[in-house]
Amino acid sequence: MADRLEPPKKPLGPSTMSVHGGEPRQKPAHALTTPIVQTATYTWANSQELKDYFDGKIDERIDYGRYGNPTQKIAESKLAALEGAADCLLFASGMGAMTTVLYALLSRGTHVVITDDSYRRTRQFLNAMLRRYGIEISTVPAGDYEALEDAIKPTTRVLVSESPTNPYNRILDLERFGAIGRKHRVKTVIDATFATPYNVRPLDWGVDLVMHSASKYLGGHNDLLAGAVLGSRDLLGGIRSLQATTGAIVDPFAAYLLVRGLKTFALRMERQNQSAQAIAEYLATHPRVERVHYPGLPSHPGHDIAKQQMRGFGGVVSFEVRGDLDAASRVVDACTIPYIEQPAIMSFYELTTEERLQVGIKDNLIRYAVGIEDADDLIADLAQALDRAFAES
């Protein structure tokens, strides 16, 4: 009689994965929680152990802090489990992750295509820095897949985009994006910071590399800086080698904070998704709000694609008030619970109004990063802020 096959295991739920995913059952020093291994260097039992390590006979060792740390490796395993990735590499910041990836994949004479609504600092790095090293950059309109494909050249090595975008929450068709990359044999890179692996896993849709600023939703407490890149072991191998040289590494304490923050990751995202949806729906009917940019609303141009590829629509709601720069500032200042942002005087303050409009940033735009507070309280606070702001005008 043939051996009976074991039934496939049911995948763990997102909260169970957040708590236990990627962490060994038996942790160092028999600790219940992953400990902070605060060291720069490591010791060896004897010279033979060191030789065996460099001969590849010992895998689970680290020889210097710039090449890794036990706390970091557990954080990476945890993120890889949540993202459904074969490998993960942590960095000192999200930009540290993005710049190292681009340095690893590009060289003099090569070409990269980026969508025009990708993170501002990523676009600045490409256009202001990499052009100096003989790398060609093409910028195409977000959502124009024909323009994206037409921009590809024989020298193209990477396609870069973001979904949802900051601050307008534009949604990329990840499956189509990945298919274009495979058709032309170029790597695809997605910044999925706003989505998080709770809401979408770009690797499942055929994207090669996914990036995160772990300082945001992954850490969840505004107390750490870190970045992550996830993908296949082959792709991350070259990136890891470059990181070991350039040194854009995460410190053990930040890695520990990330592991701690991820324990409540699924719970936080579920609440933030629900609250952001409620806030977006409230703002969409408010007489002092011109437009709301949230993919959970049917009015959002990316709503249908978002429904297909996302579990939830994220915790950022961007909206335009009826009025000018000062009107938006009064709304921001009148809020008493959250700390919200007006992009025109935060990230883009050094630009004139005309220059801001050229890059799509309106003076009356507000970006609201929703937390885990009760949605009713946040909506009531927004209501009084809008009333006060326009009563003062």
Side-chain angles (χ1 to χ4, degrees):
M1 180 182 293
D3 292 338
R4 296 179 66 180
L5 294 175
E6 291 291 330
K9 291 184 177 179
K10 179 181 178 294
L12 296 176
S15 278
T16 307
M17 284 292 290
S18 295
V19 176
H20 299 289
E23 294 191 71
R25 182 76 175 176
Q26 184 63 60
K27 298 176 179 64
H30 305 283
L32 179 62
T33 60
T34 294
I36 306 168
V37 181
Q38 192 69 46
T39 186
T41 54
Y42 301 87
T43 62
W44 303 86
N46 48 51
S47 299
Q48 187 59 50
E49 185 183 24
L50 182 59
K51 293 176 183 177
D52 289 345
Y53 171 76
F54 283 113
D55 287 339
K57 298 176 182 178
I58 300 174
D59 294 327
E60 298 301 318
R61 278 301 312 260
I62 303 167
D63 64 312
Y64 187 58
R66 196 169 72 248
Y67 309 142
N69 175 277
T71 311
Q72 168 195 335
K73 289 188 176 299
I74 289 177
E76 290 170 344
S77 295
K78 197 170 194 66
L79 280 176
L82 288 166
E83 192 71 64
D87 202 0
C88 171
L89 185 58
L90 280 176
F91 290 80
S93 68
M95 281 307 298
M98 179 62 81
T99 56
T100 306
V101 165
L102 293 172
Y103 273 132
L105 297 179
L106 298 166
S107 58
R108 183 176 181 83
T110 60
H111 174 241
V112 57
V113 183
I114 186 168
T115 55
D116 62 0
D117 59 351
S118 296
Y119 182 52
R120 179 191 179 209
R121 293 300 187 187
T122 300
R123 289 183 282 116
Q124 284 182 337
F125 172 72
L126 285 168
N127 288 293
M129 182 65 68
L130 290 193
R131 284 188 191 276
R132 294 165 50 190
Y133 297 100
I135 294 168
E136 187 181 2
I137 294 93
S138 293
T139 302
V140 299
D144 190 337
Y145 301 96
E146 288 77 16
L148 178 70
E149 194 161 7
D150 289 345
I152 296 173
K153 305 178 179 184
T155 54
T156 306
R157 296 292 179 268
V158 187
L159 307 180
V160 180
S161 192
E162 183 176 356
S163 186
T165 62
N166 178 8
Y168 286 109
N169 276 316
R170 295 189 179 102
I171 301 297
L172 184 74
D173 186 332
L174 296 170
E175 188 171 29
R176 190 171 181 181
F177 183 73
I180 291 172
R182 289 192 300 277
K183 176 182 175 181
H184 295 276
R185 297 183 179 181
V186 298
K187 299 305 179 187
T188 48
V189 178
I190 285 293
D191 183 336
T193 296
F194 272 19
T196 79
Y198 182 86
N199 285 328
V200 68
R201 304 203 308 186
L203 302 177
D204 293 347
W205 296 90
V207 172
D208 292 307
L209 289 171
V210 58
M211 319 287 302
H212 291 285
S213 170
S215 315
K216 311 299 190 299
Y217 292 105
L218 300 180
H221 295 273
N222 297 302
D223 56 6
L224 69 92
L225 278 175
V229 55
L230 301 102
S232 69
R233 288 191 174 89
D234 286 344
L235 266 180
L236 262 68
I239 299 166
R240 179 174 280 105
S241 296
L242 182 58
Q243 185 199 45
T245 302
T246 60
I249 59 170
V250 70
D251 70 272
F253 185 54
Y256 163 79
L257 290 174
L258 179 57
V259 172
R260 183 209 60 177
L262 286 170
K263 299 288 187 180
T264 58
F265 167 64
L267 290 172
R268 290 187 283 103
M269 288 310 304
E270 184 177 5
R271 169 63 73 87
Q272 287 167 298
N273 284 339
Q274 292 171 353
S275 295
Q277 182 71 37
I279 289 169
E281 290 173 0
Y282 165 76
L283 289 170
T285 63
H286 199 287
R288 294 190 174 100
V289 174
E290 283 187 350
R291 188 174 180 187
V292 181
H293 304 276
Y294 187 70
L297 296 177
S299 59
H300 190 281
H303 178 67
D304 290 340
I305 296 174
K307 282 199 304 182
Q308 293 173 18
Q309 64 188 27
M310 299 181 77
R311 175 190 273 125
F313 303 111
V316 173
V317 180
S318 293
F319 61 100
E320 300 165 33
V321 298
R322 295 189 184 279
D324 55 11
L325 184 77
D326 291 338
S329 295
R330 289 195 301 271
V331 174
V332 169
D333 293 342
C335 286
T336 62
I337 297 177
Y339 297 93
I340 62 178
E341 177 193 350
Q342 187 178 357
I345 63 169
M346 186 76 169
S347 304
F348 298 87
Y349 184 67
E350 74 276 12
L351 304 182
T352 66
T353 296
E354 290 72 24
E355 290 171 333
R356 287 196 293 267
L357 288 174
Q358 286 178 2
V359 295
I361 301 300
K362 298 181 180 180
D363 284 350
N364 62 342
L365 177 69
I366 294 172
R367 192 187 74 169
Y368 193 122
V370 179
I372 61 170
E373 299 94 340
D374 293 286
D376 289 346
D377 293 334
L378 295 177
I379 290 172
D381 187 54
L382 266 173
Q384 67 80 27
L386 286 161
D387 287 344
R388 282 179 55 193
F390 287 90
E392 296 169 3
S393 61

